[in-house]
C-alpha cells in the first residue's frame, strides 16, 4: 500500500560531509537556543541533525565547533556539561587569540557590566602575573576590553568588554565621574532643584524694575561687576521679602517624578537622571533644611530663609500657619468656643 506523501514526517536532509554536519548543527542550535541559554546533550537529539543519534559524530561536531569558537563549554560545578551558542561575529575574536588570551577574555566577558578584578582573573585562570598582564595589554590594544574605575573600590583595576557600559553599582551613578564624586555637579544640581521647587512653593508678585543709575556712561570692568552684584542682591532680597505663602490645601508642590522630568528636560545633566538618584539628592536638601516634604511625603516645598547679610535675621513663620491670619484669633483659648483642638483651619491646613 502506498504511503501518502502529505503524511510523511518532516525529516531534515542528512548532511553529506562532516563540515556540513557541523554547520547544520550550529545553525539549528543558534535558532533554538539563545546566547545566554545553556543546553545539554539531551537537548540536541530532538533537533534530528546527527544521523542515527550517533554519539561519536556528535562529540566530533561539538569539539570542532568549540575549536572554532562557535560553542562555549559551560559547567555549573557538576559533572553535567553544557554549551552556549556564540555568534560568528564574537567567534572571530577568539580565532585570533592565543589560548591564554582567549581564557582571560572569556572571564572578562562572563563578568558582564559589573566587570572583573585583575586579582580575580589571576585566581581563576592560574596564570602567572606577567602572562596575565601581557594578555590584558594585548586585549586592550585590540579594543576588546577596557579598564574602568570603580566608585566602591577606586584602587582596584577592573576590566570590562570594550563595547559595554559599566553598571551604576560600579560607577556610582550620575553623581560620579571617573569613579570620583563630582561635587561641582551635585552643588549646581542642588541649586537648580531648590530654585525650581521654590518657584512652585511660594507666590512671587512681579518684581519691580530697578531704577536706572545716573552717572558715567562708561564703567570699568570692576565697576560693572560690582554694580551687577549689588543689583542682584537688591533684587533677590526684595523678591524674598514678598514671598507669599500658598493657600491652605494647595497641591501644586512638585513631586519627585516632576522634578526628575524637569531636570532631564533642562539639559543640566548629560546623562538621564533616574528617580532613585534624584531621591538621594532630595534627601540631602531635606537634611540641609532647604526643602521639606509635604502632601504626605509625595511633594516638596522650599524653605524660606534669609538672604545675604540678613541671613541671621529670624523670619516670622507664624504667617504661614492659620493662626497668623485667623479672624477670631482673640477668641481662641483652651476649652473656649474657638480652640486649637477643634480648629477647622488647622484641619484644612494639615490635610
Amino acid at each position: 500500500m502506498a504511503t501518502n506523501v502529505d503524511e510523511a514526517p518532516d525529516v531534515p536532509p542528512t548532511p553529506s560531509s562532516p563540515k556540513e554536519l557541523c554547520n547544520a548543527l550550529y545553525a539549528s542550535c543558534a535558532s533554538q537556543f539563545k546566547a545566554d541559554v545553556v543546553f545539554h546533550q539531551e537537548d540536541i537529539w530532538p533537533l534530528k541533525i546527527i544521523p542515527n543519534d550517533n554519539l561519536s559524530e556528535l562529540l566530533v561536531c561539538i569539539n570542532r565547533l568549540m575549536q572554532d569558537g562557535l560553542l562555549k563549554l559551560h559547567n555549573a560545578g557538576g559533572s553535567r556539561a553544557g554549551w552556549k551558542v556564540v555568534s560568528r561575529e564574537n567567534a572571530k575574536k577568539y580565532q585570533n587569540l592565543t589560548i591564554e588570551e582567549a581564557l582571560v577574555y572569556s572571564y572578562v566577558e562572563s563578568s558582564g557590566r559589573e566587570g572583573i578584578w585583575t586579582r580575580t582573573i589571576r585566581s581563576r585562570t592560574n596564570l602567572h602575573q606577567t602572562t596575565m598582564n601581557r594578555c590584558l595589554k594585548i586585549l586592550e590594544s585590540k579594543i576588546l576590553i577596557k579598564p574602568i574605575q570603580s566608585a566602591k573600590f577606586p584602587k582596584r583595576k577592573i576590566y570590562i568588554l570594550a563595547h559595554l557600559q559599566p553598571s551604576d553599582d560600579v560607577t556610582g551613578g550620575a553623581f560620579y565621574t571617573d569613579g570620583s564624586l563630582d561635587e561641582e555637579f551635585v552643588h549646581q544640581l542642588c541649586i537648580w532643584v531648590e530654585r525650581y521647587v521654590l518657584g512652585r512653593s511660594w507666590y512671587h508678585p512681579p518684581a519691580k524694575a530697578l531704577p536706572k543709575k545716573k552717572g558715567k556712561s562708561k564703567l570699568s570692568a570692576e565697576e560693572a561687576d560690582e554694580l551687577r552684584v549689588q543689583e542682584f542682591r537688591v533684587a533677590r532680597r526684595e523678591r524674598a521679602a514678598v514671598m507669599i505663602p500658598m493657600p491652605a490645601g494647595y497641591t501644586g508642590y512638585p513631586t519627585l517624578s516632576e522634578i526628575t522630568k524637569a531636570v532631564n528636560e533642562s539639559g543640566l545633566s548629560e546623562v538621564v537622571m533616574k528617580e532613585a538618584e534624584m531621591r538621594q539628592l532630595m534627601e540631602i536638601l531635606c537634611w540641609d533644611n532647604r526643602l521639606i516634604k509635604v502632601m504626605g511625603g509625595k511633594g516638596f516645598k522650599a524653605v524660606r530663609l534669609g538672604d545675604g547679610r540678613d541671613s541671621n535675621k529670624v523670619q516670622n513663620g507664624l504667617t504661614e500657619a492659620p493662626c497668623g491670619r485667623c479672624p477670631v484669633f482673640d477668641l481662641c483659648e483652651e476649652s473656649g468656643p474657638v480652640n486649637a483642638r477643634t480648629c477647622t483651619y488647622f484641619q484644612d491646613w494639615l490635610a
Side-chain angles (χ1 to χ4, degrees):
M1 182 177 179
T3 303
N4 191 348
V5 177
D6 296 337
E7 297 178 356
D10 187 10
V11 179
T14 302
S16 59
S17 66
K19 184 177 181 181
E20 292 181 356
L21 185 62
C22 291
N23 292 334
L25 180 61
Y26 173 77
S28 182
C29 291
S31 62
Q32 295 293 327
F33 311 112
K34 296 182 179 180
D36 56 345
V37 174
V38 179
F39 61 93
H40 303 85
Q41 177 180 324
E42 57 269 22
D43 300 323
I44 299 178
W45 298 128
L47 301 179
K48 300 299 182 180
I49 300 298
I50 305 300
N52 301 322
D53 292 343
N54 191 311
L55 182 60
S56 299
E57 292 188 11
L58 174 62
L59 295 179
V60 171
C61 292
I62 291 293
N63 290 331
R64 184 165 183 175
L65 291 174
M66 290 179 59
Q67 292 176 0
D68 293 340
L70 296 175
L71 289 183
K72 183 166 58 175
L73 181 64
H74 181 85
N75 193 338
S79 58
R80 189 185 184 196
W83 302 273
K84 285 185 178 182
V85 177
V86 180
S87 64
R88 294 187 181 276
E89 181 181 357
N90 291 334
K92 292 180 181 179
K93 301 177 182 178
Y94 285 95
Q95 292 176 359
N96 297 326
L97 301 178
T98 63
I99 297 178
E100 293 82 4
E101 294 168 359
L103 184 62
V104 172
Y105 181 83
S106 65
Y107 280 105
V108 176
E109 183 182 26
S110 62
S111 65
R113 297 179 60 207
E114 303 298 325
I116 186 170
W117 188 18
T118 53
R119 183 177 294 183
T120 305
I121 298 177
R122 184 182 177 188
S123 63
R124 293 182 180 178
T125 59
N126 293 322
L127 295 175
H128 191 272
Q129 182 70 37
T130 305
T131 305
M132 185 196 68
N133 291 338
R134 185 182 71 251
C135 293
L136 292 173
K137 186 176 181 180
I138 293 175
L139 293 174
E140 189 175 354
S141 64
K142 293 182 178 181
I143 318 180
L144 296 177
I145 63 175
K146 63 180 179 181
I148 58 175
Q149 190 74 24
S150 173
K152 294 182 179 179
F153 310 102
K155 294 184 179 181
R156 292 186 180 182
K157 197 167 186 179
I158 300 177
Y159 281 90
I160 193 175
L161 293 184
H163 67 278
L164 295 180
Q165 292 295 330
S167 64
D168 292 341
D169 294 336
V170 177
T171 61
F175 300 134
Y176 284 79
T177 303
D178 297 331
S180 301
L181 179 63
D182 193 342
E183 297 182 1
E184 180 63 24
F185 172 69
V186 174
H187 176 68
Q188 295 297 332
L189 189 59
C190 285
I191 294 177
W192 192 94
V193 171
E194 184 181 11
R195 290 178 178 175
Y196 174 78
V197 177
L198 180 68
R200 295 181 55 177
S201 301
W202 302 81
Y203 174 71
H204 304 276
K208 297 180 181 180
L210 294 176
K212 296 183 178 180
K213 302 291 183 179
K214 295 182 179 180
K216 297 183 295 183
S217 58
K218 293 184 179 180
L219 300 176
S220 62
E222 293 79 7
E223 292 175 341
D225 292 338
E226 181 64 23
L227 180 61
R228 188 179 301 109
V229 171
Q230 291 179 0
E231 292 179 349
F232 175 77
R233 289 177 178 174
V234 171
R236 186 176 182 182
R237 187 159 51 246
E238 291 181 353
R239 182 176 176 84
V242 293
M243 291 170 56
I244 302 175
M246 293 297 183
Y250 175 71
T251 59
Y253 298 108
T255 61
L256 177 63
S257 59
E258 292 175 345
I259 296 174
T260 304
K261 181 180 179 181
V263 169
N264 291 330
E265 293 177 351
S266 67
L268 185 64
S269 174
E270 297 180 356
V271 298
V272 178
M273 302 295 297
K274 303 177 182 178
E275 288 192 9
E277 297 168 339
M278 291 302 302
R279 183 178 288 107
Q280 298 177 5
L281 189 72
M282 304 307 292
E283 292 294 336
I284 294 176
L285 292 173
C286 290
W287 277 106
D288 290 342
N289 293 324
R290 297 162 68 178
L291 299 180
I292 58 175
K293 295 181 180 180
V294 293
M295 299 189 304
K298 298 180 180 180
F300 295 90
K301 176 183 178 182
V303 178
R304 180 181 178 182
L305 297 176
D307 175 66
R309 294 171 299 178
D310 300 332
S311 58
N312 295 327
K313 181 180 179 181
V314 178
Q315 301 293 328
N316 183 12
L318 185 61
T319 57
E320 297 186 38
C323 301
R325 297 176 293 175
C326 181
V328 290
F329 179 79
D330 296 336
L331 302 178
C332 184
E333 60 181 356
E334 187 67 23
S335 302
V338 180
N339 57 77
R341 189 180 302 274
T342 61
C343 179
T344 58
Y345 297 105
F346 263 121
Q347 294 177 2
D348 295 338
W349 185 263
L350 299 176

